[in-house]
């Protein structure tokens, strides 16, 4: 759920434009990589959650103990990796938000703060 919130905040209001220009830019200090990183890990986290949820559903039907072991280790390893990536994302988004000028943000400040907040919550949920 947190990954969807981060993704939705960045896609919905993470890009904005100046009144005199039609070109969109990322709300996080005009750094496109910040928005791309948040959107990327949000989408991949959501897809991974769906995959591991399906694995959990079919887990009792897997009779081979070796396959079960590898699935559990893959889940554990992925969760550890994604915890680290959410921590990096939180630090990156927070850093870029702190360098963002107030006059560049007319719409989307609440979405940017929500993306930062839920990326922080994602560290603990993973």
């Amino acid at each position: 759920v947190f990954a969807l919130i981060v993704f939705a905040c960045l896609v919905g209001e993470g890009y904005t434009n100046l009144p005199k220009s039609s070109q969109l830019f990322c709300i996080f200090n005009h750094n496109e990589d910040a928005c791309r990183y948040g959107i990327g890990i949000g989408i991949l986290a959501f897809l991974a959650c769906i995959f591991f949820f399906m694995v959990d559903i079919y887990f009792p039907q897997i009779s081979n103990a070796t396959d079960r072991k590898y699935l559990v280790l893959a889940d554990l390893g992925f969760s550890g990796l994604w915890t680290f990536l959410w921590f990096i994302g939180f630090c990156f988004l927070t850093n870029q938000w702190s360098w963002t000028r107030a006059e560049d943000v007319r719409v989307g400040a609440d979405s940017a703060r929500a993306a930062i907040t839920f990326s922080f919550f994602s560290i603990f949920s993973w």
Side-chain angles (χ1 to χ4, degrees), residues 48-58:
C49 284
I50 291 172
F51 171 75
F52 285 116
F53 181 69
M54 297 304 289
V55 167
D56 287 343
I57 289 174
Y58 291 111

Side-chain angles (χ1 to χ4, degrees), residues 10-123:
L10 293 177
V11 168
E13 291 184 347
Y15 291 94
T16 188
N17 63 334
L18 297 174
K20 56 187 172 267
S21 172
S22 64
Q23 184 176 1
L24 293 175
F25 61 87
C26 181
I27 200 169
F28 289 97
N29 196 26
H30 295 251
N31 189 347
E32 298 295 321
D33 292 332
C35 287
R36 287 186 200 131
Y37 186 82
I39 291 169
I41 62 172
I43 289 173
L44 292 176
F46 178 69
L47 294 175
C49 284
I50 291 172
F51 171 75
F52 285 116
F53 181 69
M54 297 304 289
V55 167
D56 287 343
I57 289 174
Y58 291 111
F59 193 76
Q61 297 170 350
I62 299 171
S63 61
N64 190 350
T66 306
D67 290 342
R68 284 182 169 209
K69 180 179 83 169
Y70 288 135
L71 286 173
V72 169
L73 288 175
D75 190 5
L76 182 65
F78 186 83
S79 296
L81 172 67
W82 232 248
T83 300
F84 177 70
L85 291 177
W86 277 118
F87 176 72
I88 297 297
F90 168 73
C91 294
F92 186 39
L93 292 176
T94 303
N95 182 335
Q96 292 303 304
W97 184 246
S98 69
W99 287 100
T100 303
R101 296 180 304 179
E103 60 268 9
D104 288 343
V105 182
R106 289 177 174 73
V107 175
D110 291 336
S111 290
R113 288 187 206 104
I116 291 169
T117 302
F118 283 99
S119 65
F120 178 74
F121 292 155
S122 294
I123 295 168

